[in-house]
Amino acid sequence: MPVQTPVVIIGAGPAGLTLSHLLHLRGVESVVIESRSREDVENTVRAGILEQGTMNLMRETGVGDRMDREADIDEGIDISIEGKRTRIALTELTGHNVAVYPQHEYLKDFIARRLADDGTILFETTVDDVTGTDDDSVPSQVRYTTADGTQETITCDYVVAADGSKSPYRARVVEATGGARSRHEYPYAWFGILVDGPKTQKELIYATHPEGFALISTRTDDIQRYYLQCDPNDDPENWSDDRIWEQLHLRVDSEDLQVAEGRIFDKSVLRFRSAVTEPMQHGRLFLAGDAAHTVPPTGAKGLNLAVADVAVLAPALARAVKDKDERLLADYSSIALPRIWRAQHFSYWMSTMLHAAPGETRFEANRRVAELDAVLRSEAGRRYHAEQYVGADLPVFD
């Protein structure tokens, strides 16, 4: 095991693995520490919509071959109001498209590339303590325990917490800086199912209905992912197969389209939360991805925000390690946060237009649907929605 490295990254999720890869390309090595097994990381099924910038980064850094072969490249999405669908032509309106490529497939690609490049990923390893990140007079150290119970210490220049929404290092940053953790809890959740069956259609359908929201998505030609709006405290056992299909047909079907049925083999409830930590750094400790911010899945921003974070952090760390220039590193939070807040706005805006809030009055329901209808009727509205959905280009630094 290495005893010293320039950067220790906690977490082998999208932020951590992408950062390790980008650092390697800039000549800076790192150690990634992950509490789960490689099998768990690669087989935990998560949704994934890749923005154009994320796709470009994968291609430009040599990790995009399988994505280009296997992903569904979508040039539009449908938004349905009580069965009346309007297509938002993403490519026509913006020149960009998106890829339907599940997050676990993204992680498989980056794990394989890091290992092929002799990168160090310590799976089934628990971080016990992080010290020295706020004191320039002592080295930063990470103490950890491996799968076989061996305790080790690694010395480093910088530590990046990319360990998800339950990261314990977030509180350390907030407390040390007098910063803030801004939160919003949504009054609804998604009941998600995986279906062994044919596609309803290639492109996603976001549907609103008086009974609630529904999303028709796809994973492969034979595996589909569907969602229904539900109560955050709902139990998947409350949803029989008959009830699921009844609600999906009610909320989505139209004269020219019916939801394709199949064998349901997975059920889960996904809660909706928004949160932003400001700042995202203190001393030699940095937050990235869900450790710093979370968004509801409606706008498909989570993975892409993680990639945007490390598109800033990788060149900043490389300059600091190789040139002893920490100016870009000092600006990490101020560069990353405006994009994060724009994504929070879009995710909130899209969520509140599409979901029927519990106890919604007739006025509130009609006003909400009128707002969505106004967006869809206007080319300017459709263009704005498309621009936000495909995402802005990733920041580039020499």
Side-chain angles (χ1 to χ4, degrees), residues 87-221:
R87 186 171 186 268
I88 295 184
L90 302 175
T91 306
E92 179 183 324
L93 291 166
T94 70
H96 297 312
N97 46 38
V98 296
V100 179
Y101 197 60
Q103 179 172 301
H104 62 287
E105 301 295 345
Y106 180 95
L107 298 179
K108 288 178 185 178
D109 293 341
F110 277 84
I111 289 170
R113 181 56 188 264
R114 289 304 298 126
L115 297 179
D117 289 338
D118 295 324
T120 301
I121 307 174
L122 304 180
F123 291 106
E124 298 181 84
T125 298
T126 303
V127 174
D128 302 315
D129 196 14
V130 175
T131 60
T133 58
D134 55 356
D135 185 350
D136 289 337
S137 67
V138 297
S140 297
Q141 292 188 320
V142 177
R143 289 195 297 108
Y144 61 89
T145 302
T146 62
D148 64 4
T150 303
Q151 293 185 320
E152 303 280 359
T153 299
I154 187 167
T155 300
C156 57
D157 298 316
Y158 302 98
V159 178
V160 177
D163 50 339
S165 59
K166 296 181 180 179
S167 173
Y169 307 101
R170 181 172 58 239
R172 184 181 299 191
V173 170
V174 171
E175 291 167 6
T177 61
R181 175 76 169 171
S182 305
R183 301 180 182 86
H184 178 73
E185 190 88 16
Y186 294 79
Y188 35 74
W190 280 0
F191 172 68
I193 61 170
L194 284 168
V195 178
D196 184 358
K199 294 180 182 180
T200 295
Q201 71 168 27
K202 180 180 182 296
E203 296 177 346
L204 278 69
I205 304 171
Y206 292 81
T208 189
H209 186 275
E211 288 294 314
F213 169 82
L215 173 61
I216 303 301
S217 183
T218 184
R219 290 294 167 267
T220 68
D221 287 340

Side-chain angles (χ1 to χ4, degrees), residues 15 18 22 51 54 57 106 280 289 293 301-314 332 335-336 339-340 392-395 397:
T18 308
L22 296 180
E51 294 178 355
T54 301
L57 178 142
Y106 180 95
M280 297 163 58
H293 44 73
K301 296 301 175 192
L303 183 155
N304 298 289
L305 278 183
V307 173
D309 287 350
V310 300
V312 180
L313 194 51
Y332 167 55
I335 295 171
R339 185 188 191 110
I340 292 164
D393 292 339
L394 292 174
F397 302 92

